[in-house]
Amino acid sequence: MSIMTYRQALHDTLRAEMLRDQNVFLMGEEIGVFDGSYKITAGLLAEFGEKRVRDTPIAEEGFTGAAIGAAMLGLRPVVEIMTINFSLLALDQIVNHAAKIYGMFGGQAKVPLVIRTPGGGGQQLGATHSQNIELYYAFVPGMKVVAPSTPADAKALLLAAIRDDDPVLFLENLSLYNTKGEVPDDDTPAEIGKAAVTREGRDITLIGYSRMAHVASQVAEQLAASDGLDIEVIDLRSLRPLDRGTLIESVKKTHAAVVLEDDWLTYGIGAEIAATISDGAFDYLDAPVRRVAMAEVPLPYSKPLETAALPSADDVIGAIRQTLDAVGHRRR
Amino acid sequence: MNTPRAATPSGAAHGQHLLTQMLRVRRLEEKCVELYSAAKIRGFLHVYIGEEAVAAGIMATLDPEDAVVATYREHGHALLKGVSAGSILAEMYGFQQGCCRGRGGSMHLFDAATRFYGGNAIVAGGLPLAIGLALADKMAGRSRVTVCFFGEGAAAEGEFHESLNLAALWQLPVLFCCENNLYAMGTALSRSESQTDLAVKAAAYEIPAWPVDGMDVLAVEEAARRAVDAVRGGGGPHFLELRTYRFRAHSMYDPERYRDKAEVARWIERDPIDLLRATLEGAGRLSEAEWAKMQRDVDAEVSAAVEFAEAGSVEPVDELLRFVYSEIRSP
C-alpha cells in the first residue's frame, strides 16, 4: 500500500500496463513532448518513444477513429482527450463506430479502446470547458463508462478498462487529480459495473460518483457529527453497466435516497437512478428520491455565479433534510 | 482524361477476369433491385451500377492480406474482396447466414476473414478507421495496404480532412479512393465544394494524388497498381480521384431532379462493362462463345446466391441482446 495522488496513480498504471503489454499505446493531444495537459503522461514519451506515445494534432474525430481502427486489429490504444468537452468533436467515431462495430457486424471485430478524459467545473473555465457530459456515452449500448473517485479506484478501474475488450470511456475529474489516498501495490483490476458502498448506514442513501462521491462522504460525516445521522454512501464507479442491484439493496435498507450529480438535472443520471430505485424498491421508499444537480445554465465564468450553479454540500444537506422530513411525515 | 492507361490487358485471361468481376457486381445488384421490389430486401439499398470499374480495377491490384474499408454503396467491394454473394444476399435478407448475421444489412456488410472492414454508412466515417487499420499494420511492421473508398461528398466532412492530414503526417500505408460520381445524393459537386478538383485537396496534405477515368477499368487498374505499389513500398498515403457515374438513383428511388436525362444517357454510353467488352472483342481477346459462357457463369453464381439466401433463417429473437459487449475475453 502506498499513499499517492490520483494523478500519480493514473500515471503509474499507464506505465505499468505499457510495460506489461506491448499492444498498449497512447495517443492524444499534448501527451508527449508537452508531458500531458494535466501531466498524467509525464515522462512516458522519453521512456517508450514516439511509436507508443503518439502526439496528435487537434483532430479528435480523426485520432479517436484511428484508435478504433487500430483496436480492431488487436492493439489496445489508450486515447487521451484533453477534456470531455472536446470529446464532442469525436462523437461520430465513438457513438457510430466504436460502440457499434462489435454488434452491428455480428461479433466479428472487438474494439478494446480506452478514452481517458477529465470533466469537471469549478475552475472558472466557462461554459465550453466545464461540462460533465459522460451521460452522452453512458446512454449508448456498446459503450462502458467508468468514473473513479479515489486514487485506488483510478488504478483499479484503469487496469480494468485497458484489459477490457470493449470501448471504455474513462472519466477523470480536474478537481481530483491532486487528491491523495492509499493505493494497493498489487495489480488487481476492478470489476467494471460494480458500485462501492463506501460508508454503511441505515437512515438514508447518498449516491454519487467522481467528485460528487467525495461531497457525499463529507456530508455524511458532517451530519453524523452534527445530527447523529447514519448515512449510507454509494460511489457508483461505473455508469454503464450500472450496478442497479447495489442501489436497490441499499434503499431496501434505508428507505430513502438522494442522488448527487455534477451535471444538469433534466434527463440526467439522477433520473436514471431514481427510476431504477422506483422500479426495484418502490414498496420500500418512504419518500421520493431527490436529486441534487447543477443549475440548468451554461456554466458562467464569474466565480459567484459559477459557485451558485454547481451543486454544493449545503444543497445536499438541504435535500437530505427535505427527504427525511418527508420520511417523518409518512412514518407518523 | 490525361491519365496514362495500359494499352491492352496483359493477356486475354486477365482482361476477361476484369470483365467477369464487373459483371458479377452488375448482375448481383440487378438481382438486389429485383429482390428489393419483391420486398425480400428492406431498409436502404444503394446500388453501384455504373461504377463497377472502380472496385474491379482497384481490387485487381490487392493482396488478400490488404484491407478494404468502404461505404454504404459497398456490395461490389465486398463481393470483389472475396465475401461470397450468398452471404451478402443473406445479410440483405436479414438472415443469420449473412456475413453479419443479419444485424448489419445492405449498408453494413463486413467480413473480418477477407479483411473487408465495412460497410461504413456514415459519410466519411470510414476514413479515420482506415488510417487506424493502417497504423496498426505499420506499427507491427506488416507490409499491408489499407484501401479506403468514399464518395466525393465525404470531402465536405471534417473526418476527411483530419484523416488525410494524419495519414500524411504519420506516413501511413493507405490508398484513399475517392469515387467521384458527381452527386452527393442530390447535391452536385459544384454546389457542395468551393474547390471541385479533389486531387488538389489531397495534394494540399502532401499526398500524391491524381484523377483517373473511373469508367475505364484498365485505366483504374493501371493507376491503382502504381499507387498500391508506392504505398506498399513505404511511400506513404496516396489518393486517387476516380471519375465515375451512378446510373441509378441514390437509393432505390429518387425523382432525379438534380440531373438531366441527357447527362445520364451520355454516361451510360460509357458503361464500363460495354467499354471493356468492346476493347477485348476488338483485340480478338473475347469471343462470342466466351462472352456467353461468362454471362452464364455469373448468372449461375447469382442464382446460387439467391438460393442460399432464400434457404436462410432469422437469428432467434432470444439472441437479441447478444453482441452488445464482447462475449469471449481476450487472453
Side-chain angles (χ1 to χ4, degrees):
Chain A
M1 199 76 85
S2 331
I3 304 280
M4 67 176 76
T5 62
Y6 187 99
R7 169 184 286 110
Q8 189 72 39
L10 291 172
H11 169 276
D12 291 1
T13 305
L14 282 177
R15 180 173 177 271
E17 287 297 276
M18 291 180 78
L19 289 169
R20 182 187 65 83
D21 183 351
Q22 288 295 310
N23 287 325
V24 176
F25 76 104
L26 314 183
M27 282 172 79
E29 296 150 351
E30 308 294 359
I31 64 168
V33 173
F34 197 84
D35 268 346
S37 302
Y38 297 102
K39 308 299 172 205
I40 308 302
T41 54
L44 297 180
L45 172 63
E47 182 170 359
F48 293 100
E50 288 184 344
K51 188 170 153 186
R52 295 182 68 201
V53 180
R54 189 171 288 268
D55 272 324
T56 67
I58 305 166
E60 289 84 1
E61 193 89 83
F63 68 72
T64 301
I68 295 166
M72 288 166 76
L73 293 192
L75 297 182
R76 306 188 88 83
V78 181
V79 164
E80 177 174 310
I81 294 184
M82 199 181 291
T83 80
I84 197 168
N85 306 282
F86 313 153
S87 75
L88 294 174
L89 290 138
L91 211 49
D92 173 53
Q93 285 298 320
I94 300 170
V95 174
N96 277 327
H97 298 87
K100 306 278 189 288
I101 282 168
Y102 185 72
M104 185 169 72
F105 298 138
Q108 295 183 73
K110 296 175 183 176
V111 182
L113 165 73
V114 179
I115 299 172
R116 291 182 37 246
T117 189
Q123 324 274 323
Q124 281 195 276
L125 299 179
T128 62
H129 280 54
S130 304
Q131 300 172 95
N132 290 296
I133 47 176
E134 54 276 10
L135 80 86
Y136 291 11
Y137 305 104
F139 179 63
V140 180
M143 287 301 297
K144 294 178 179 175
V145 178
V146 300
S149 68
T150 64
D153 269 357
K155 174 177 181 175
L157 282 167
L158 186 55
L159 286 171
I162 291 173
R163 296 177 191 186
D164 198 279
D165 283 346
D166 297 311
V168 180
L169 185 110
F170 186 92
L171 180 75
E172 302 169 7
N173 190 288
L174 299 179
S175 69
L176 297 181
Y177 281 141
N178 288 331
T179 57
K180 284 189 177 172
E182 286 189 342
V183 176
D185 296 325
D186 69 289
D187 281 352
T188 308
E191 186 184 338
I192 292 179
K194 254 347 246 179
V197 178
T198 55
R199 188 181 196 283
E200 291 198 27
R202 306 202 63 83
D203 292 337
I204 190 168
T205 302
L206 292 190
I207 301 156
Y209 65 93
S210 194
R211 181 180 85 89
M212 296 313 279
H214 290 274
V215 174
S217 295
Q218 286 155 15
V219 166
E221 294 305 324
Q222 187 183 329
L223 293 184
S226 63
D227 295 45
L229 281 177
D230 186 17
I231 296 178
E232 180 141 307
V233 176
I234 295 177
D235 180 352
L236 288 175
R237 302 166 87 222
S238 170
L239 303 181
R240 182 182 275 269
L242 180 63
D243 185 354
R244 297 179 199 273
T246 295
L247 299 173
I248 291 165
E249 285 314 305
S250 176
V251 172
K252 283 183 176 175
K253 181 175 70 174
T254 63
H255 306 283
V258 172
V259 188
L260 287 56
E261 52 186 325
D262 224 354
D263 57 8
W264 298 298
L265 185 84
T266 306
Y267 302 112
I269 284 162
E272 178 61 30
I273 291 169
T276 296
I277 292 169
S278 172
D279 277 349
F282 182 76
D283 290 338
Y284 296 82
L285 275 176
D286 285 339
V289 176
R290 285 196 169 272
R291 295 172 286 159
V292 177
M294 237 178 86
E296 305 234 352
V297 293
L299 197 66
Y301 163 73
S302 152
K303 190 63 189 172
L305 292 183
E306 182 187 52
T307 303
L310 292 174
S312 68
D314 283 347
D315 295 333
V316 178
I317 290 168
I320 291 170
R321 294 207 193 285
Q322 281 180 314
T323 305
L324 291 178
D325 279 353
V327 168
H329 283 301
R330 189 181 165 94
R331 285 180 184 161
R332 276 199 293 270
Chain B
M1 313 274 157
N2 53 10
T3 313
R5 58 162 289 178
T8 53
S10 54
H14 184 67
Q16 289 187 20
H17 170 71
L18 291 174
L19 187 60
T20 305
Q21 294 294 70
M22 291 194 290
L23 196 63
R24 290 175 68 217
V25 176
R26 178 71 57 92
R27 293 285 179 265
L28 177 64
E29 292 206 302
E30 286 169 345
K31 183 57 74 178
C32 291
V33 169
E34 192 184 312
L35 293 167
Y36 194 92
S37 300
K40 297 279 190 181
I41 299 174
R42 299 281 71 191
F44 286 148
L45 184 76
H46 309 89
V47 296
Y48 195 55
I49 290 172
E51 306 185 38
E52 296 92 341
V54 174
I58 287 163
M59 298 292 181
T61 69
L62 301 184
D63 294 340
E65 283 300 295
D66 293 332
V68 167
V69 173
T71 70
Y72 51 75
R73 197 181 301 284
E74 88 289 26
H75 315 141
H77 308 75
L79 182 72
L80 300 188
K81 190 67 178 74
V83 187
S84 77
S87 76
I88 291 171
L89 266 190
E91 184 63 30
M92 295 188 202
Y93 273 59
F95 288 165
Q96 58 188 335
Q97 291 77 12
C99 53
C100 301
R101 310 171 63 90
R103 287 177 179 245
S106 155
M107 297 196 288
H108 306 115
L109 303 175
F110 188 100
D111 183 50
T114 54
R115 302 205 81 219
F116 180 73
Y117 293 105
N120 295 282
I122 303 294
V123 171
L127 280 93
L129 300 177
I131 65 167
L133 297 171
L135 174 65
D137 282 337
K138 182 173 169 136
M139 285 175 71
R142 293 185 288 254
S143 175
R144 292 171 172 175
V145 175
T146 297
V147 179
C148 182
F149 292 90
F150 50 89
E152 86 289 346
E157 290 278 12
E159 286 171 304
F160 169 93
H161 295 276
E162 294 184 23
S163 300
L164 262 59
N165 181 49
L166 289 170
L169 192 67
W170 296 340
Q171 287 295 288
L172 300 177
V174 188
L175 176 60
F176 293 107
C177 291
C178 179
E179 302 180 307
N180 179 7
N181 65 16
L182 300 177
Y183 296 91
M185 207 165 155
T187 302
L189 183 61
S190 59
R191 292 178 62 227
S192 68
E193 289 295 323
S194 58
Q195 169 56 271
T196 56
D197 186 339
L198 300 167
V200 167
K201 291 179 190 289
Y205 295 102
E206 301 291 325
I207 296 176
W210 60 94
V212 184
D213 178 358
M215 305 308 271
D216 179 347
V217 68
L218 302 176
V220 173
E221 188 193 14
E222 196 275 342
R225 201 170 294 287
R226 192 147 65 92
V228 166
D229 285 352
V231 173
R232 202 186 304 284
H238 280 57
F239 183 106
L240 298 177
E241 180 205 343
L242 301 132
R243 295 182 175 174
T244 183
Y245 202 78
R246 154 167 71 66
F247 292 172
R248 303 285 182 97
H250 162 72
S251 185
M252 272 303 290
Y253 310 105
D254 71 44
E256 297 203 44
R257 292 202 188 95
Y258 50 88
R259 58 186 192 183
D260 68 52
K261 289 190 167 63
E263 177 186 291
V264 179
R266 273 200 309 281
W267 278 91
I268 288 177
E269 280 171 26
R270 299 196 68 236
D271 183 314
I273 293 174
D274 294 346
L275 279 186
L276 179 62
R277 191 181 148 209
T279 301
L280 294 176
E281 286 175 349
R285 292 171 189 267
L286 181 71
S287 68
E288 272 299 318
E290 284 167 332
W291 171 238
K293 179 176 186 306
M294 189 183 292
Q295 293 184 86
R296 278 198 308 278
D297 290 349
V298 169
D299 289 345
E301 181 189 10
V302 172
S303 297
V306 174
E307 261 179 60
F308 177 83
E310 287 283 338
S313 55
V314 290
E315 190 177 357
V317 170
D318 61 16
E319 292 191 12
L320 172 65
L321 297 182
R322 289 188 62 191
F323 304 114
V324 180
Y325 297 105
S326 52
E327 296 181 352
I328 300 163
R329 317 306 298 177
S330 294

